[in-house]
Amino acid sequence: MDHAALLALFDAEVRRGARPDGPGARIERTAAVVRQTAPEHG
């Protein structure tokens, strides 16, 4: 597998497919960043 294909697979599975992993958590996306946020005790 080449480097570009591996990065594309990572992007598809981890970034675009990201889902909140707990109650109150949410996924925020911008052009270059994907982050998960949650309440203080979440």
Side-chain angles (χ1 to χ4, degrees):
M1 182 178 291
D2 66 25
H3 185 70
L6 184 58
L7 286 175
L9 180 62
F10 177 83
D11 186 55
E13 291 185 4
V14 176
R15 294 181 186 182
R16 285 182 275 154
R19 295 188 180 142
D21 65 359
R26 66 180 197 203
I27 302 296
E28 298 174 348
R29 291 179 174 87
T30 66
V33 175
V34 176
R35 70 178 152 252
Q36 178 169 223
T37 61
E40 183 176 343
H41 300 288

